[in-house]
Amino acid sequence: MAVTRIFIPRDVAALAVGADDVARAVTAQAATLGAEVALVRTGSRGMFWLEPMVEVETAQGRIAYGPVEPSDVPGLFAAGWLEGASHRLRVGRPEDHPFLAAQTRLTFARCGIVDPLSVADYKAGGGYRGLVKAIELGGAATVEAVTKSGLRGRGGAGFPTGIKWKTVRDAAADQKYIICNADEGDSGTFADRMILEGDPFCLIEGMTIAGLAVGATKGFIYSRSEYPHANATMAAALQVARAEGLLGRGILGSDVEFHLELRVGAGAYVCGEETALLESLEGKRGMVRAKPPLPALKGLFGRPTVVNNLLSLATIPVIMDQGAQFYADFGMGRSRGTMPIQLAGNILHGGLFETAFGLTLGEIVMEIGGGTASRRPVRAVQAGGPLGAYLPPSQFDTLYDYEAFAARDALIGHGGLVVFDDTVDMAHMARFAMEFCAEESCGKCTPCRIGSTRGAEVVDRILAGKDVAANITLLEDLCNTMKFGSLCALGGFTPYPVLSAIKHFPEDFHGRRLPVAAE
Ligand SMILES: Cc1cc2nc3c(=O)[nH]c(=O)nc-3n(C[C@H](O)[C@H](O)[C@H](O)COP(=O)(O)O)c2cc1C
Ligand code: SF4
């Protein structure tokens, strides 16, 4: 009897809803029936409402079933799922599912499909073709290709990656570094983690290409302690890569040398800020450094350093493999390529949706995300993490594009969208933004350290109905001080959620909540 491969994700989202229990149930039932199956543990395809989503390799291709519970497993075998038979949990071919079919997966091309620790799987999915191209082209042409692709940093600021790389390449130094910022502290974001857990070689290849491009022989991945599964997978992938000659000296038989290590931070939000990250990597407390000098010129241990978000680096292999123009042809305006959008919060179809820039916010939330999970009306969407603005449905015509968002005082950030229904109290959300800033402030500058604590107190007075108009004016004034007086974007951007809440939801600040629809 032929062995049937069964794919079960071990991404933390799937584990959280029982993927390991399902895997055990599949193994046990197969043993009982004498069915020959081989389990492959993958990352997630990013359709979280279907997790654990199990795929069976059949003559018709991989057929998915989900969400599977251990108690469903005997019935699935009985129904003939090894042949892809019908069952109430049958999803069909994952790539035909509307949520996946509508995507353009470039960064996430292999995630959820491959065994994350199999180099053979990685190469079969196009892996290492990008590095081969980069080796052929050499460093200068690689930097040029990345510039031409139009790739902008996916960590928040949207700075052109090619220009950052050129600065580091042009700097003279005995040692340069590549740092992957995998701190991923933004609310509603999980794309970095999905790559760490589902396609780690993609990051290793991207960082190796970055090293070749700028002349850096050493790199660090800065992850967080809250990501134990991701860190374990990444650490294992690094070992495999070293053993297979994909890290170290003479990579792919060339003269490229690149050494890569994983470092795990303790989980302070501010350590995602690139200079605080550098301090943390140097073994110090995560305090923000004043810029200039830029990390590109004086970064880790004072050496020229590329600090890029994980998604920026994980997108490099496909750009080098398919060409700068191929990538640049996706998107709109100055927002080129695709963005892995993360749909979170109160949303029916939460998960990872990679698409070219240019859809409207409303299309993403209502059509792709399916509206709220509570089935109540959407009241607000926070875009771009805890420092991002709240957008009401009246702004759903905003195009998903860095400039279009900026024009509405909003952020694309790391691509997270957190959806709230009409039961949300926006004055409390404004207070939460101030409280978050007070909690996470590194303490270096006064507007952020003191302003956020005072800000929370002012919102408390507003919530208590005391001198509301005067306190709102005071809050707006304080926000302006924080915006223009803070050293980094933690203090500088906290006003965005606060001011957008006041602007778009004034009724919540005047003790006149909108009447909430009856159940
Ligand atoms: C408070 C704060 C937190 C940040 N957190 C992250 C983070 O978790 N991940 C990230 O890539 N960038 C984060 N950034 C942005 C980084 O400072 C930096 O711009 C980014 O890592 C550069 O990479 P990119 O050019 O590829 O986006 C943060 C910035 C601030 C101000
Ligand atoms: S704005 Fe806040 S986090 Fe940033 S440097 Fe100042 S105190 Fe530190």
Side-chain angles (χ1 to χ4, degrees):
M1 190 197 279
V3 177
T4 305
R5 291 202 299 168
I6 298 185
F7 301 84
I8 304 181
R10 59 170 189 181
D11 166 272
V12 83
L15 290 180
V17 286
D20 274 349
D21 294 338
V22 171
R24 275 189 286 273
V26 170
T27 306
Q29 187 67 12
T32 305
L33 300 173
E36 290 218 46
V37 302
L39 255 51
V40 182
R41 301 305 296 270
T42 61
S44 169
R45 298 262 198 172
M47 298 190 282
F48 290 162
W49 72 98
L50 290 176
E51 295 290 9
M53 191 174 88
V54 179
E55 295 175 32
V56 183
E57 196 165 55
T58 74
Q60 317 146 52
R62 278 161 73 155
I63 301 296
Y65 297 82
V68 177
E69 290 191 21
S71 58
D72 296 320
V73 170
L76 284 161
F77 272 98
W81 75 334
L82 295 186
E83 288 78 45
S86 83
H87 184 277
R88 74 184 161 81
L89 298 179
R90 189 178 189 275
V91 175
R93 285 166 22 114
E95 51 277 19
D96 296 338
H97 188 287
F99 190 84
L100 269 178
Q103 297 188 41
T104 302
R105 286 204 163 198
L106 302 182
T107 311
F108 276 79
R110 283 167 298 263
C111 194
I113 299 174
V114 297
D115 171 350
L117 296 178
S118 162
V119 173
D121 269 17
Y122 183 64
K123 288 188 173 170
Y128 279 104
R129 290 202 305 238
L131 180 57
V132 168
K133 282 265 178 62
I135 293 169
E136 271 167 35
L137 288 175
T142 298
V143 172
E144 205 178 302
V146 173
T147 308
K148 280 198 180 138
S149 75
L151 177 69
R152 291 166 72 174
R154 302 298 190 223
F159 188 80
T161 305
I163 294 178
K164 186 181 284 186
W165 286 21
K166 187 169 184 331
T167 310
V168 178
R169 180 176 168 79
D170 290 347
D174 56 342
Q175 178 69 56
K176 299 178 188 177
Y177 296 104
I178 308 295
I179 291 175
C180 165
N181 188 343
D183 199 51
E184 195 160 60
D186 282 359
S187 37
T189 59
F190 41 80
D192 292 356
R193 178 188 60 69
M194 283 181 69
I195 293 283
L196 292 170
E197 295 186 10
D199 196 14
F201 293 122
C202 180
L203 175 61
I204 296 174
E205 185 186 354
M207 291 184 74
T208 309
I209 295 171
L212 175 162
V214 307
T217 54
K218 177 126 199 144
F220 293 94
I221 299 163
Y222 186 86
S223 181
R224 50 178 33 228
S225 57
E226 291 96 328
Y227 278 180
H229 295 285
N231 296 339
T233 308
M234 193 68 228
L238 287 172
Q239 272 189 2
V240 172
R242 286 180 200 121
E244 302 236 353
L246 296 168
L247 284 173
R249 288 173 201 271
I251 295 170
L252 296 181
S254 71
D255 57 4
V256 174
E257 176 179 352
F258 194 66
H259 305 268
L260 187 51
E261 287 178 37
L262 174 68
R263 290 278 192 275
V264 180
Y269 181 73
V270 77
C271 285
E273 195 282 336
E274 57 187 6
T275 62
L277 184 157
L278 292 171
E279 292 284 296
S280 171
L281 260 183
E282 290 179 6
K284 300 177 216 150
R285 180 176 156 189
M287 296 281 277
V288 172
R289 294 178 187 169
K291 287 190 275 191
L294 292 171
L297 296 172
K298 238 174 164 289
L300 189 65
F301 303 115
R303 307 303 209 300
T305 303
V306 167
V307 183
N308 267 140
N309 171 251
L310 186 151
L311 296 181
S312 317
L313 292 161
T315 304
I316 297 296
V318 68
I319 291 174
M320 295 313 295
D321 176 28
Q322 304 276 333
Q325 197 56 47
F326 167 83
Y327 191 74
D329 282 345
F330 294 98
M332 62 172 283
R334 288 176 49 221
S335 303
R336 309 312 314 173
T338 58
M339 184 72 192
I341 299 171
Q342 296 130 84
L343 301 172
N346 187 345
I347 189 155
L348 189 61
H349 293 149
L352 189 285
F353 193 93
E354 182 176 351
T355 184
F357 287 93
L359 291 177
T360 66
L361 180 62
E363 282 170 329
I364 297 168
V365 172
M366 301 309 296
E367 289 167 31
I368 294 162
T372 63
S374 60
R375 310 313 292 145
R376 300 180 70 98
V378 173
R379 181 144 191 253
V381 177
Q382 189 177 30
L387 313 177
Y390 288 98
L391 295 159
S394 60
Q395 303 221 329
F396 274 7
D397 61 338
T398 313
L399 293 174
Y400 204 78
D401 158 276
Y402 287 102
E403 278 67 41
F405 263 53
R408 295 210 159 154
D409 274 342
L411 288 176
I412 294 283
H414 187 43
L417 294 175
V418 181
V419 178
F420 298 82
D421 75 10
D422 62 348
T423 59
V424 67
D425 181 324
M426 296 308 296
H428 277 99
M429 299 316 291
R431 189 192 190 286
F432 175 72
M434 286 295 186
E435 193 187 332
F436 178 82
C437 181
E439 186 84 18
E440 300 292 342
S441 170
C442 85
K444 189 154 183 162
C445 58
T446 316
C448 169
R449 186 184 68 244
I450 309 283
S452 52
T453 301
R454 296 289 94 89
E457 291 166 2
V458 178
V459 182
D460 278 341
R461 290 202 292 275
I462 295 169
L463 284 167
K466 286 187 199 153
D467 297 330
V468 173
N471 276 312
I472 288 180
T473 306
L474 182 63
L475 185 60
E476 286 170 343
D477 195 25
L478 177 61
C479 280
N480 272 325
T481 308
M482 290 176 72
K483 198 164 156 180
F484 298 108
S486 296
L487 181 60
C488 87
L490 180 46
F493 279 60
T494 297
Y496 285 83
V498 177
L499 293 174
S500 60
I502 296 174
K503 180 173 169 195
H504 298 303
F505 309 93
E507 59 276 16
D508 288 14
F509 292 81
H510 290 90
R512 283 188 282 114
R513 275 301 321 278
L514 284 176
V516 169
E519 288 286 347

